[in-house]
Amino acid sequence: MEFLLIGTVGVCVLAVLHTYVLYPWRTTLQARQSSLPRQPELPITDWPTVRILMAVHNEERVLGQKLATLAAQDYRGPLHLMVADDQSTDRTPQLLRTFEFTGPRRQFTHTRNTRRSGKPATINRLAGAAGAEGIFVLTDASVLLRPDTITELVRPLVADPGLGVVDSRVVHTGMTVDGIGRSEDRYINQEVHLKQAESHDTGYFIGPFGGCWAIRAAAYTAVPDNFLVDDFFLCMSAYRAGWRGYSSDRAVVLEGVGQRLPHEFRRKVRIGSGNWQNLLRFQDLWWPPTQNALAYAFFCHKVLRWLTPLFVCLAVLCLLLLWQAGGNYWAGLLLKTAGGIALSTIVLDLVLGRLGLHVGLLRNLHYFMAMNAALLVGFVRYLTGIKTNVWQPSYRPPNDSAQ
């Protein structure tokens, strides 16, 4: 029994190290040696029709600037902006009514849901109205585009008929020394680089940045009711249908980084619940992980990461049994040391933060523990049942610029 408990702890530790350290290192190394092209360079003369699909709810703080960046797009093909207001109660409807999206081959339509529907259902309705031709760009109100963002999202899709989805590269703005902004930015940057490495190495990236990305209309699958993470569902559905993915380093977007831990915690709880919906829905794409490159990437990048809170809980339980039931001195020492480090990290970060002192290592560790705790809460929420996917906009500080 003692051998089994020690082996279980070892497996848990190895799983966490693999998803956060070994897999990113291996994938990045292989991408550098990959023969796959990093960016199509073919000249394009016939640009396809693009429909920008956006659901909004109480976005008056950011919507004006967002619409301005859409109006400034340099895309040379037909461009149709389709916005649906999900029962906003602020100035969002007024901003949409007064917005002008003028220019050759440009159209703008905005509608209002008759009842609160949530983002996935709203985007499903917009996609159904848009039809099955051309390319969809799905974007959030809080994410600002550079003038060439849509052009760079579409370019790989035109150059490679086998691509079904293209992701953008997010650049965070509004970071300050206080709050968790720098920790969030560091994590997202690592994710962006890993997804780029995945697409260069295997022809897939595991889940798009939901704030702005492109999908062929022919690859779009309606998101089921009550699904929380719609962008991941759409991407994996496209892969299941035979399409591939590309993470572009040229399609750049800007977003104010989240600074407040309580707000990001609630957002991660929601994402954590949605992760389990997708994990079970797409089990055939990741199990067994040895079946192909997509399954291995899905399993190592997402499945092991989503399971990390459970691995930690299982390892703690095994150490507790070894210590209390088996009298293992080293298990007790390890458990007390790890617990002391975790508690000290949280307390020190909070106390020093109140004093205006911000230590990067402490903040990063505190952020890591808080986000995994949010994933654990999200798992519990999933087990108790998800009754609605209606959302509230996440807090983001104002963006400085869209240039």
Side-chain angles (χ1 to χ4, degrees):
M1 178 60 70
E2 183 174 351
F3 177 77
L4 177 61
L5 292 173
I6 293 174
T8 302
V9 172
V11 169
C12 292
V13 172
L14 182 60
V16 175
L17 285 177
H18 187 76
T19 188
Y20 279 101
V21 180
L22 299 178
Y23 172 72
W25 172 79
R26 176 183 178 275
T27 303
T28 302
L29 182 63
Q30 290 189 172
R32 291 173 181 170
Q33 302 170 348
S34 175
S35 59
L36 291 176
R38 291 189 171 267
Q39 178 72 44
E41 297 288 353
L42 298 175
I44 299 172
T45 56
D46 186 16
W47 293 88
T49 299
V50 170
R51 294 175 177 85
I52 307 168
L53 311 183
M54 186 167 68
V56 295
H57 174 74
N58 290 349
E59 302 282 9
E60 66 175 3
R61 187 180 58 84
V62 295
L63 185 57
Q65 195 173 9
K66 171 61 178 232
L67 293 174
T69 68
L70 293 175
Q73 290 301 296
D74 65 6
Y75 187 68
R76 286 172 281 177
L79 193 59
H80 187 179
L81 173 59
M82 305 175 68
V83 182
D85 172 21
D86 193 22
Q87 287 287 305
S88 294
T89 57
D90 62 359
R91 293 179 58 251
T92 292
Q94 179 183 345
L95 292 172
L96 292 175
R97 286 194 299 269
T98 57
F99 174 63
E100 294 184 1
F101 192 64
T102 58
R105 298 195 291 179
R106 289 193 172 193
Q107 298 180 41
F108 172 52
T109 58
H110 63 93
T111 56
R112 181 176 173 86
N113 292 347
T114 56
R115 61 181 178 84
R116 196 83 159 85
S117 303
K119 178 184 172 182
T122 302
I123 295 297
N124 280 343
R125 183 170 61 80
L126 290 175
E133 299 293 331
I135 294 168
F136 297 158
V137 170
L138 280 61
T139 186
D140 293 340
S142 61
V143 177
L144 305 183
L145 281 62
R146 289 183 174 176
D148 65 344
T149 298
I150 290 180
T151 297
E152 295 303 334
L153 282 173
V154 173
R155 188 185 302 277
L157 293 166
V158 175
D160 186 347
L163 286 179
V165 292
V166 175
D167 200 12
S168 62
R169 175 167 66 90
V170 60
V171 174
H172 282 136
T173 64
M175 284 178 292
T176 60
V177 294
D178 57 342
I180 61 166
R182 289 186 175 179
S183 298
E184 174 78 1
D185 178 64
R186 181 174 179 270
Y187 173 74
I188 295 300
N189 283 337
Q190 290 174 342
E191 281 291 284
V192 167
H193 292 313
L194 178 55
K195 290 177 183 180
Q196 289 177 352
E198 285 173 339
S199 67
H200 297 153
D201 181 36
T202 67
Y204 303 96
F205 62 88
I206 309 303
F209 163 64
C212 185
W213 62 293
I215 180 171
R216 291 186 190 275
Y220 187 94
T221 301
V223 182
D225 293 341
N226 291 341
F227 257 60
L228 297 176
V229 188
D230 53 300
D231 51 286
F232 195 91
F233 172 86
L234 291 170
C235 181
M236 292 302 127
S237 294
Y239 291 164
R240 179 184 274 169
W243 301 96
R244 290 180 287 104
Y246 182 82
S247 181
S248 172
D249 60 349
R250 294 185 178 182
V252 178
V253 297
L254 308 179
E255 183 179 34
V257 67
Q259 297 280 4
R260 304 176 183 178
L261 183 57
H263 291 171
E264 288 304 301
F265 188 90
R266 287 194 295 270
R267 190 172 71 90
K268 296 290 186 181
V269 167
R270 176 185 172 86
I271 292 173
S273 300
N275 288 343
W276 283 90
Q277 293 176 312
N278 282 307
L279 184 147
L280 297 178
R281 173 60 68 101
F282 297 106
Q283 182 179 345
D284 59 303
L285 294 187
W286 60 265
W287 188 262
T290 55
Q291 62 179 296
N292 53 42
L294 172 60
Y296 180 75
F298 194 164
F299 181 78
C300 295
H301 186 170
K302 292 300 183 182
V303 177
L304 290 181
R305 192 162 300 190
W306 296 343
L307 291 172
T308 290
L310 300 183
F311 288 139
V312 173
C313 291
L314 180 58
V316 168
L317 177 61
C318 289
L319 288 173
L320 190 61
L321 289 173
L322 284 168
W323 178 30
Q324 295 295 323
N328 189 305
Y329 168 80
W330 296 107
L333 179 61
L334 179 59
L335 190 60
K336 287 184 284 188
T337 301
I341 291 174
L343 182 60
S344 299
T345 295
I346 296 172
V347 172
L348 276 175
D349 185 45
L350 292 174
V351 171
L352 292 177
R354 290 293 183 90
L355 297 175
L357 301 174
H358 307 284
V359 181
L361 178 60
L362 291 177
R363 185 63 47 80
N364 290 338
L365 289 174
H366 186 184
Y367 169 84
F368 177 81
M369 289 186 286
M371 294 306 102
N372 275 282
L375 291 179
L376 184 60
V377 175
F379 172 61
V380 175
R381 293 269 181 89
Y382 169 77
L383 292 179
T384 58
I386 298 172
K387 299 177 176 60
T388 179
N389 59 8
V390 173
W391 90 113
Q392 292 292 333
S394 299
Y395 174 82
R396 289 290 184 270
N399 288 281
D400 304 299
S401 170
Q403 301 303 317

